[in-house]
Amino acid sequence: LGTCFGDNFDPSDAAMLSLQVSCLCGSAPCLLCGCCPSAKNSTVSRLLFTFFLFLGTLVSIIMIIPGVEKELHKLPGFCEGSGSVLGVQTHVDCSSFLGHKAVYRMGFAMAAFFFLFALLMVCVRSSKDPRAAVQNGFWFFKFLVLVGITVGAFYIPDGAFTSVWFYFGVVGSFLFILIQLILLIDFAHSWSQLWLHNAGESNAKGWYAALCIFTFIFYATSIAAIVLLYIYYTKPEGCTEGKVLISINLILCLIISAVSILPKIQDAQPHSGLLQASLITLYTIYVTWSALANVPTQTCNPTLLVRNSTVSATATQTLTTWWDAPSIVGLIIFILCTLFISVRSSDHPEVNKLMLTEESAAGAGGEAAAMESGLHRAYDNEQDGVSYNYTFFHLCLLLAALYIMMTLTNWYRPDESLRVLTSPWTAVWVKICSSWAGLLLYLWTLVAPLVLPNRDFS
């Protein structure tokens, strides 16, 4: 497999191998190989690393299924800890959160895997660097490395690992949410520009009607969600924090919507409008909902999940199921965002510069040769320069691994006794602060041409 994806792949090799390149198949049993189009090495590599991330995510999901979680007891030493957390105890009974513990170790394994490659690929400039062959090939051995790290992670003693790794997950998730917001803002601007361009080229009013329809849908959904948040996550007396957070984000969303249609903003950026603002508003309301779902007060959070190792506690409180609505939506957004990172470069040079991605003209000859020969294979498009920063890409996947780890565990952590999983205020404030950072970032994209008139923001 490493030979198939290596930079020195020879099109004159056996036809069977030439079909294997784009599909990562072992032999003739792959019936779809002949249908796979030729692809850039850079794109194939990013997709396969993303596949590794999704594979780890799938394993994590399987481990938190109640039936599978109970079977984790059979792993030798998996529910026995050593050391202490803040000096509280020397023995850990983790029977109440086996799935939580498994997800944390799977997240650690994926993070360690991508961190290893981030270090290995520092300062790779083109496919002529020998390390580029490791980036674009040897997939079977990479899989073995990931499996080895995963197996080793399950032998990490409890001690302070879970408590410390929780804060690593919090920081990584916050950074990944910011990356999500950058990509969402870029997507919103590109979407609006494309449809307005199509409307101008064809003089068809249907494009304008579609813009208005989607804008209305996004705002209507946001308004309905805000009403539901006030109904279910606040009370007439009490729940002051929830009321304040919802109100602040509502006011901020109204501000960015108003700013996006100001005459001066429209003159500086004709493509800005309510479509982008409505999409950012909807995402902000989702992040607010996700934050309120972590409020540790039962009366202010109807979706609060409680897991306690004692029967008396679980008799009166809802037993944890890791699948609540905010987590499912977060998982979907995670998948879309990660695929977005893997296959697309932005239409905006500033975003490409920020994300360390660029459209390289290198490899055009390889593409032409692949088209002429009719072979379905991965061709080298990075001989003159890489089309994305290898290290930054792996760091993005590392942050994505931490984000999905926190999402699947609902940002919960064990208390000092390590018998009860609690939802800390830390998770609430991290999510709320990320929503504020996203709104400020979008506001900056609107006012930047006015603040910095000498720069080209086209």
Side-chain angles (χ1 to χ4, degrees):
L1 295 179
T3 303
C4 292
F5 278 91
D7 297 320
N8 298 321
F9 183 81
D10 185 1
S12 63
D13 288 346
M16 181 179 67
L17 291 179
S18 68
L19 292 176
Q20 294 170 358
V21 178
S22 293
C23 301
L24 192 65
C25 298
S27 59
C30 179
L31 301 178
L32 297 178
C33 283
C35 302
C36 295
S38 296
K40 301 174 184 177
N41 242 359
S42 59
T43 302
V44 173
S45 297
R46 282 183 285 180
L47 285 174
L48 288 173
F49 275 114
T50 303
F51 170 76
F52 282 176
L53 176 63
F54 288 167
L55 183 63
T57 302
L58 179 61
V59 173
S60 299
I61 293 174
I62 292 174
M63 286 183 174
I64 57 177
I65 296 175
V68 177
E69 183 183 13
K70 294 179 180 179
E71 297 298 318
L72 294 176
H73 272 289
K74 298 179 180 179
L75 292 178
F78 188 61
C79 203
E80 295 178 4
S82 60
S84 63
V85 178
L86 302 178
V88 174
Q89 59 184 38
T90 58
H91 178 74
V92 176
D93 177 15
C94 68
S95 58
S96 61
F97 57 99
L98 281 173
H100 181 282
K101 179 178 177 180
V103 172
Y104 264 44
R105 276 150 179 75
M106 195 68 221
F108 175 83
M110 291 190 292
F113 176 77
F114 292 120
F115 182 71
L116 173 65
F117 277 92
L119 289 179
L120 186 61
M121 297 300 159
V122 171
C123 296
V124 175
R125 304 300 183 189
S126 71
S127 60
K128 298 176 183 177
D129 191 312
R131 291 174 295 170
V134 179
Q135 171 76 7
N136 299 317
F138 305 102
W139 295 103
F140 177 71
F141 297 103
K142 291 175 184 175
F143 177 75
L144 292 182
V145 170
L146 178 59
V147 172
I149 296 176
T150 301
V151 173
F154 277 81
Y155 285 93
I156 298 175
D158 279 312
F161 172 77
T162 303
S163 300
V164 173
W165 194 240
F166 169 82
Y167 290 102
F168 276 91
V170 167
V171 175
S173 299
F174 176 79
L175 296 176
F176 188 73
I177 290 174
L178 292 183
I179 292 176
Q180 284 184 338
L181 289 165
I182 293 172
L183 296 178
L184 181 66
I185 293 170
D186 173 51
F187 172 74
H189 281 299
S190 299
W191 183 8
S192 178
Q193 287 181 9
L194 176 62
W195 281 19
L196 289 175
H197 174 75
N198 291 341
E201 289 289 327
S202 61
N203 291 323
K205 296 182 179 180
W207 292 106
Y208 293 109
L211 283 172
C212 293
I213 290 173
F214 274 96
T215 301
F216 174 78
I217 292 174
F218 291 152
Y219 273 125
T221 306
S222 300
I223 293 172
I226 290 173
V227 172
L228 292 175
L229 290 181
Y230 274 117
I231 293 175
Y232 290 102
Y233 290 90
T234 64
K235 299 294 181 182
E237 296 181 1
C239 302
T240 305
E241 297 89 349
K243 295 175 184 176
V244 171
L245 295 178
I246 298 172
S247 301
I248 289 176
N249 279 1
L250 173 60
I251 294 172
L252 292 176
C253 289
L254 291 175
I255 291 175
I256 65 166
S257 298
V259 170
S260 67
I261 56 175
L262 291 176
K264 289 187 176 181
I265 298 295
Q266 290 292 310
D267 292 339
Q269 293 197 72
H271 294 292
S272 67
L274 290 178
L275 177 66
Q276 298 97 310
S278 65
L279 186 58
I280 300 301
T281 296
L282 182 60
Y283 183 80
T284 300
I285 300 305
Y286 156 71
V287 176
T288 307
W289 173 37
S290 180
L292 294 176
N294 279 107
V295 171
T297 306
Q298 184 76 51
T299 56
C300 302
N301 181 8
T303 59
L304 184 66
L305 305 175
V306 177
R307 169 164 292 189
N308 193 308
S309 60
T310 63
V311 178
S312 60
T314 56
T316 58
Q317 294 176 311
T318 305
L319 187 65
T320 299
T321 56
W322 296 122
W323 296 107
D324 62 348
S327 296
I328 294 174
V329 176
L331 179 62
I332 295 173
I333 295 175
F334 155 78
I335 293 174
L336 295 177
C337 179
T338 309
L339 288 175
F340 199 75
I341 294 173
S342 301
V343 301
R344 183 181 182 274
S345 293
S346 174
D347 295 332
H348 300 88
E350 293 295 330
V351 177
N352 283 330
K353 190 180 300 183
L354 180 64
M355 301 297 293
L356 302 181
T357 306
E358 60 182 340
E359 285 295 337
S360 175
E367 181 178 8
M371 295 293 291
E372 292 177 3
S373 64
L375 294 173
H376 301 278
R377 63 187 185 88
Y379 58 87
D380 185 5
N381 65 313
E382 298 181 308
Q383 292 181 357
D384 297 330
V386 295
S387 61
Y388 65 101
N389 186 294
Y390 290 175
T391 295
F392 184 77
F393 172 71
H394 288 297
L395 289 178
C396 285
L397 294 188
L398 185 156
L399 298 178
L402 295 176
Y403 172 80
I404 197 60
M405 178 188 77
M406 300 303 292
T407 299
L408 293 179
T409 57
N410 294 93
W411 297 63
Y412 280 38
R413 70 178 181 189
D415 64 356
E416 285 78 6
S417 67
L418 292 183
R419 292 177 179 272
V420 181
L421 287 176
T422 60
S423 180
W425 276 103
T426 304
V428 178
W429 288 111
V430 166
K431 294 179 182 181
I432 289 296
C433 289
S434 67
S435 69
W436 293 342
L439 291 170
L440 291 175
L441 183 61
Y442 174 67
L443 183 63
W444 171 250
T445 65
L446 295 177
V447 302
L450 299 178
V451 178
L452 302 172
N454 295 326
R455 292 189 62 180
D456 181 17
F457 290 94
S458 59

